[in-house]
Amino acid sequence: MCGIVGYIGQQQAAPILLQGLSKLEYRGYDSAGISVRNGEEETVIVKSKGRLKVLAEKTNDGLAVKGNCGIGHTRWATHGEPSEQNAHPHASEDSSVVAVHNGIIENYQEIKEKLEKKGYVFYSETDTEVAVNLIDYYYKKHDGDPLDAIAKAMMRIRGSYALAIMFRDYPGEIFAARKDSPMIIGINNSDVFIASDVPAILKYTRNVYYIGNMEIARLTCGNVTFYNIDKEEIEKELTEIKWDEEAAEKGGFEHYMMKEIHEQPKAVRDTLNSMIKNGSISLSDAGLSDEELEKISHIYIVACGSAYHVGVTLQYVIEDMARVPVSVDLASEFRYRQPIMEKDGLVIIISQSGETADSLAALREAKEKGVKTLGIVNVVGSSIAREADRVIYTLAGPEIAVATTKAYSAQLAAGYVLAVQLAKVRGKINEEKYTEMIEELLMLPDKIAKTLEDKERIQWFASKFSNAKDVFFVGRGLDYAIGLEGSLKMKEISYIHSEAYAAGELKHGTISLIEDGILVIGILTQQELYEKMISNLVEVKSRGAYLMGLTVYGNYGIEDTVDFSVYVPKTSKYFASSVAIIPLQLMGYYLSVSKGLDVDKPRNLAKSVTVE
Ligand code: M6R
């Protein structure tokens, strides 16, 4: 996820671009850049690594760059580490074409190789530079017609994109094109704007056009013309934006956490699509060969917080499905407990930020002992991503809320794919089962979206428990792992004390804590453990607990035991965490809201814990 802006009109472009980018920083903040054109003069490009303020300082808040036409970008790295070189805008070799891009070009490698054969040389590692040179190629081949060049490039590119493009031969114009990545065009008299999201232009206009998939826009001072992919002109209606500025930044949601909860189908889909191509798994981007996976004697998963809970889930999944022994450690423990590691082992560090101090230290510890390491990381170019021998990137985009939701879900997705591939190369599942697992995985985003539809019931239920002092989560097997994460979500943002227990452990102490009216949330997605779980729930109910049961559609008999039931779509038993976690995230969220707490920034917590 990145943020793009564009401006053409009678004012100075650079300050407007910087202002717009500041509202899009939530979409990415590892580097930024602008490109501005002053009449017939050459386009000026200024870029910098780091937060937008570095670019603002470099350009004296935009005052140092003159011109009435320009494009800008704030980046969240997907291809190539965060650096000035990889920052946008990108220019073709002779600067005929300059562009900014949001999205992922899936076939960029193939296009790059073709362009290299035609003599193109690349200076960055980005897929965007490939798109720019592809447009340049068609532009020069077909009589210098920008519209035609863009349309041809769009036909050739697979993936998602929102592009804002300037051509050296067309000084007073900006072109925009989009497929599956957000982009709007705003207009106010002679001022015309491009933006990835509404907040970037709300200061200047509330009148916007929504550019559709596979459409192109041509912007000049005070005018926009839209075209379909066949270059035929199309009519569009202006829409008036009624949101206030703050609401707009959160995409209409009250909090970033809720926005991110709703971004989970996309985060999971993008992550799966980056690892599953044409119906089979490819881990070549991560540099993991089948031979390597075959040889692993033991997997050590090391992480903190929610990422650790992903590890607990993956332990169940990998051991059961691929029959590889897995140990899971909290990074803060692992680094000091002198772990014994097999030389053919693999240490997997899971981290959203890639900067968590304990996880990084654990990674270094493993490397020092000569054991291979794999990072499952969300932030491209972060310390863990750089230092691990292999990296699988989760494609969740920037996560702002302290309580993780979409990064957790994307980590699970990446871990599942790894488990399926391990199982396949080690002969634990046959071709048929492999295909079935992949199909199940690809259905997860829709099942998550379906689960989100039921949120009002959770909201109603949460409102009844905002005064709760203690809540217990119980489950067996994978359901215990989901409980751990549900409990963390609840306590970190609602400040209600909660614990997760393996249901079989209740009798060994915890059951003495159960008294009248205490909320116990039972999780029952694992069919073979269902009956045992029902017995555990009956036990706590007879001690006065108020029961919520979370299970899959079809298990309606649960209503004989529990006071409130929540159903999620059925999945393969291995992947149930991905849907069952959704009501629990919502539960934590609504409890926090009903208590009037700061959902996105809970007290005493930081998004990334970079100190011990
Ligand atoms: O950036 P990381 O994934 O390494 O962060 C790990 C934990 O700090 C993180 O998951 C934390 O527990 C979250 N606040 C949970 O919502």
Side-chain angles (χ1 to χ4, degrees), residues 127 175 391 404 407 489 581:
D127 51 348
F175 294 82
V391 190
T404 180
K489 283 292 84 78
I581 195 57

Side-chain angles (χ1 to χ4, degrees), residues 303-309 349-357 359 376 379 384 399 401-405 407-408 411 485 488-489 492-493 602 605-609:
C304 299
S306 297
Y308 168 77
H309 299 154
I349 309 283
I350 306 177
S351 175
Q352 185 283 129
S353 62
E355 300 295 347
T356 300
S359 304
I376 298 184
V379 179
I384 294 173
E399 197 176 55
V402 165
T404 180
T405 52
Y408 166 86
Q411 287 163 354
E485 177 60 6
L488 177 59
K489 283 292 84 78
E492 73 178 323
I493 53 172
L605 288 174
K607 181 67 186 158
S608 168
V609 184

Side-chain angles (χ1 to χ4, degrees), residues 530 533-535 537-538 541 547 557-563:
Y530 183 82
M533 268 303 296
I534 290 286
S535 306
L537 294 183
V538 169
K541 192 169 185 185
L547 286 182
I558 199 170
E559 289 173 20
D560 297 338
T561 309
V562 304
D563 303 290

Side-chain angles (χ1 to χ4, degrees), residues 183-199:
M183 183 161 63
I184 52 166
I185 313 278
I187 187 155
N188 184 7
N189 299 318
S190 57
D191 295 332
V192 190
F193 307 86
I194 300 173
S196 303
D197 200 356
V198 172

Side-chain angles (χ1 to χ4, degrees), residues 27-281:
R27 299 179 64 86
Y29 41 72
D30 62 48
S31 54
I34 53 172
S35 171
V36 175
R37 188 91 194 257
N38 197 12
E40 296 287 332
E41 288 173 28
E42 277 295 311
T43 307
V44 175
I45 298 180
V46 192
K47 316 200 252 193
S48 64
K49 184 179 167 197
R51 306 291 292 236
L52 186 65
K53 69 175 183 340
V54 184
L55 182 68
E57 277 159 23
K58 206 166 174 179
T59 58
N60 189 17
D61 288 327
L63 299 174
V65 188
K66 301 284 175 221
N68 311 98
C69 171
I71 53 182
H73 189 268
T74 178
R75 180 170 185 248
W76 177 261
T78 54
H79 293 85
E81 60 170 19
S83 66
E84 198 166 310
Q85 189 107 327
N86 289 331
H88 302 209
H90 285 287
S92 60
E93 235 181 328
D94 62 359
S95 295
S96 293
V97 183
V98 178
V100 290
H101 162 231
N102 168 31
I104 295 170
I105 295 170
E106 284 162 11
N107 56 340
Y108 84 101
Q109 201 60 47
E110 168 201 320
I111 299 175
K112 186 173 182 180
E113 280 159 24
K114 295 234 160 90
L115 288 170
E116 276 170 341
K117 284 196 192 122
K118 303 213 177 291
Y120 280 86
V121 178
F122 293 82
Y123 60 84
S124 78
E125 301 158 272
T126 64
D127 51 348
T128 306
E129 193 192 354
V130 175
V132 171
N133 278 320
L134 184 66
I135 296 170
D136 179 83
Y137 168 72
Y138 286 127
Y139 180 69
K140 287 179 178 141
K141 190 169 172 203
H142 299 284
D143 311 325
D145 175 357
L147 212 53
D148 186 60
I150 294 169
K152 288 205 161 59
M154 287 167 80
M155 303 291 277
R156 187 78 177 70
I157 289 170
R158 278 201 314 272
S160 60
Y161 50 81
L163 284 159
I165 312 151
M166 301 200 295
F167 289 79
R168 187 170 49 201
D169 303 337
Y170 292 78
E173 300 188 29
I174 304 178
F175 294 82
R178 112 165 242 276
K179 176 178 172 274
D180 295 333
S181 279
M183 183 161 63
I184 52 166
I185 313 278
I187 187 155
N188 184 7
N189 299 318
S190 57
D191 295 332
V192 190
F193 307 86
I194 300 173
S196 303
D197 200 356
V198 172
I201 56 174
L202 265 190
K203 187 170 172 203
Y204 309 102
T205 182
R206 286 178 174 272
N207 296 322
V208 302
Y209 293 106
Y210 289 96
I211 173 167
N213 257 352
M214 301 300 274
E215 290 178 355
I216 305 169
R218 184 175 204 149
L219 283 65
T220 53
C221 184
N223 192 43
V224 198
T225 318
F226 293 93
Y227 303 88
N228 63 20
I229 193 75
D230 298 320
K231 296 171 283 168
E232 292 156 351
E233 211 174 307
I234 46 177
E235 289 296 319
K236 291 234 166 247
E237 297 238 326
L238 258 189
T239 305
E240 195 195 339
I241 303 282
K242 297 211 164 75
W243 293 347
D244 66 45
E245 264 190 69
E246 212 203 321
E249 269 170 57
K250 292 171 185 145
F253 293 100
E254 209 180 324
H255 301 99
Y256 280 113
M257 183 178 172
M258 197 50 148
K259 176 168 180 267
E260 288 160 6
I261 285 176
H262 281 82
E263 283 171 349
Q264 289 181 108
K266 179 172 176 354
V268 171
R269 188 175 291 115
D270 287 351
T271 303
L272 291 174
N273 286 345
S274 71
M275 301 172 78
I276 302 173
K277 310 258 161 71
N278 304 322
S280 68
I281 294 171

